């Protein structure tokens, strides 16, 4: 048992990331039932939809689960109220200032974790009173930090600056990567991409298959003038790259992005016109398998990896 196991009251320090259009109650409850920490991704949910997912998750598991809440999203007040009313025990916040809501959540007994992309933001999060931070490297899928710091550099940098537990994220989908993250100072891992390729994920089967088919170099960070986002290269990506190469400004990129691009690709399965947000570790994902099997596989490989290292002679 380490501080992450104790903080969340979970068997394994393996957290499933809260991802838009992928992490509803089915995935969250499956991961929690398997001994990890399942997270409902509220970023793509209207308030009434979030409440419904919380209700269903409570019915599907008696284990702890959490909600991921991007702080810059609309209806944030309503989402916070629902989380408090439903007594969700754990909240992962991201994409915003942790000072804004951490005090409110903590006063209600909620465990709060904030996602950061630099040691500076980790220190600010600790000062704001969060219980732990997720240090997410540039390999991660979806929206990324502007610093472009990789996980291998970010984890030790953050661990050296804060006293609270550090959870490693970005490019982590195997037990071997978990061993590396722990060696760098993490006490838990957050896994997103690997859990997209599961029957329980709410994303479209076309998107899941695209994740399995992805190889090294198939994801790129795009839309840096707006909010940097790592996605699978497709026709939409080609349009964005061409516009950026021609010097398109923020307004032109907003028009090109339009509305619901992520939903179009990840939830509706349009692999040409959609925004297919996924991490670099998709190159290591070879099949769709149940979330519980993934949790067990990561933990077993972590344990065997630690033993192998202990046996090495230098």
């Amino acid at each position: 048992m380490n501080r992450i196991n104790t903080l969340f009251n979970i068997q394994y320090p393996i957290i499933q990331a809260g991802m838009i259009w992928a992490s509803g109650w089915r995935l969250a409850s499956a991961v929690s039932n398997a001994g990890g920490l399942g997270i409902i991704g509220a970023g793509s949910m209207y308030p009434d939809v979030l409440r419904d997912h919380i209700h269903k998750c409570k019915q599907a598991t008696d284990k702890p689960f959490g909600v991921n809440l991007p702080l810059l999203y609309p209806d944030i007040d309503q989402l916070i109220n629902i989380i408090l009313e439903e007594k969700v025990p754990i909240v992962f916040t991201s994409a915003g200032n942790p000072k804004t809501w951490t005090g409110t959540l903590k006063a209600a007994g909620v465990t709060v974790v904030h996602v950061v992309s630099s040691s500076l933001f980790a220190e600010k999060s600790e000062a704001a009173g969060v219980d732990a931070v997720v240090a997410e490297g540039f390999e991660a899928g979806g929206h990324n930090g502007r610093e472009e710091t990789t996980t291998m550099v970010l984890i030790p940098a953050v661990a050296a600056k804060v006293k609270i537990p550090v959870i490693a994220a970005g490019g982590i989908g195997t037990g071997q990567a978990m061993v590396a993250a722990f060696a760098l100072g993490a006490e838990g891992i957050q896994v997103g991409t690997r859990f997209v390729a599961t029957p329980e994920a709410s994303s479209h089967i076309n998107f899941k298959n695209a994740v399995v088919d992805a190889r090294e170099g198939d994801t790129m960070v795009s839309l840096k003038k707006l909010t940097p986002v790592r996605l699978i290269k497709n026709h939409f990506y080609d349009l964005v790259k061409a516009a950026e190469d021609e010097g398109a400004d923020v307004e032109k990129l907003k028009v090109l992005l339009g509305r619901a691009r992520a939903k179009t690709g990840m939830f509706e399965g349009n692999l040409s016109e959609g925004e297919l947000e996924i991490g670099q570790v998709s190159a290591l994902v070879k099949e769709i398998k149940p979330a519980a099997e993934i949790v067990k596989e990561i933990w077993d490989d972590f344990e065997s990896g630690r033993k192998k290292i202990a046996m090495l002679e230098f």
Side-chain angles (χ1 to χ4, degrees):
M1 294 288 285
N2 68 11
R3 290 192 293 174
I4 290 298
N5 297 76
T6 303
L7 182 64
F8 301 136
N9 190 27
I10 55 178
Q11 185 177 1
Y12 308 119
I14 300 170
I15 295 107
Q16 162 249 312
M19 304 163 286
I20 63 170
W21 306 117
S23 51
W25 68 270
R26 288 184 179 86
L27 180 57
S29 61
V31 172
S32 289
N33 283 333
L37 180 68
I39 303 289
I40 296 171
S44 56
M45 297 181 181
Y46 291 112
D48 58 334
V49 175
L50 174 60
R51 191 187 296 275
D52 183 55
H53 276 259
I54 292 171
H55 285 173
K56 289 177 177 176
C57 199
K58 287 179 178 178
Q59 293 169 3
T61 184
D62 60 357
K63 303 290 175 56
F65 69 92
V67 169
N68 172 262
L69 192 62
L71 297 176
L72 297 181
Y73 272 57
D75 303 318
I76 185 70
D77 293 10
Q78 295 180 54
L79 296 175
I80 290 285
N81 287 337
I82 288 169
I83 287 168
L84 297 180
E85 289 169 6
E86 298 297 335
K87 296 183 173 15
V88 174
I90 301 160
V91 171
F92 280 52
T93 57
S94 59
N97 187 345
K99 284 185 178 181
T100 310
W101 290 105
T102 296
T104 301
L105 292 166
K106 293 281 291 177
V110 178
T111 298
V112 181
V113 181
H114 194 65
V115 181
V116 301
S117 57
S118 72
S119 55
L120 175 61
F121 285 118
E123 289 179 292
K124 290 183 176 181
S125 298
E126 184 174 46
V130 305
D131 297 287
V133 290
V134 174
E136 185 176 78
F138 202 54
E139 300 94 326
H143 295 292
N144 256 295
R146 294 187 179 278
E147 297 84 0
E148 302 190 15
T149 306
T150 63
T151 302
M152 206 74 171
V153 174
L154 180 63
I155 301 310
V158 170
K161 291 291 186 179
V162 299
K163 294 183 174 64
I164 55 177
V166 176
I167 300 164
I172 299 174
T174 66
Q176 292 89 343
M178 185 174 177
V179 172
F182 273 54
L184 294 172
E187 295 182 54
I189 59 168
Q190 178 175 278
V191 177
T193 294
R194 188 65 192 89
F195 284 118
V196 171
T198 60
E200 297 92 345
S202 51
S203 44
H204 197 281
I205 186 60
N206 291 352
F207 179 51
K208 296 178 187 182
N209 287 332
V211 173
V212 171
D213 292 340
R215 296 295 177 262
E216 297 163 68
D218 284 351
T219 73
M220 292 292 289
V221 175
S222 187
L223 295 166
K224 292 184 180 181
K225 288 183 180 179
L226 298 179
T227 302
V229 59
R230 182 176 296 281
L231 40 79
I232 295 175
K233 292 185 283 190
N234 63 353
H235 178 61
F236 168 66
Y237 166 80
D238 291 340
L239 293 176
V240 172
K241 185 177 186 304
E244 291 178 330
D245 288 346
E246 293 171 2
D249 60 15
V250 169
E251 291 307 314
K252 286 184 179 179
L253 290 174
K254 284 182 178 179
V255 171
L256 181 57
L257 178 61
R259 291 180 59 83
R261 280 281 186 180
K263 181 181 181 182
T264 297
M266 299 159 68
F267 191 69
E268 297 175 353
N270 187 331
L271 301 185
S272 175
E273 301 301 327
E275 189 179 39
L276 308 177
E277 301 180 10
I278 208 70
Q280 283 185 336
V281 76
S282 55
L284 303 181
V285 177
K286 304 303 183 185
E287 62 181 317
I288 296 171
K289 63 171 60 176
E293 290 186 22
I294 292 171
V295 172
K296 184 177 187 304
E297 181 181 279
I298 290 174
W299 182 254
D300 288 348
D301 287 349
F302 171 70
E303 291 279 68
S304 63
R306 288 200 302 172
K307 292 175 183 176
K308 287 178 182 177
I309 290 175
M311 293 172 62
L312 289 177
E313 293 184 5
F314 297 95

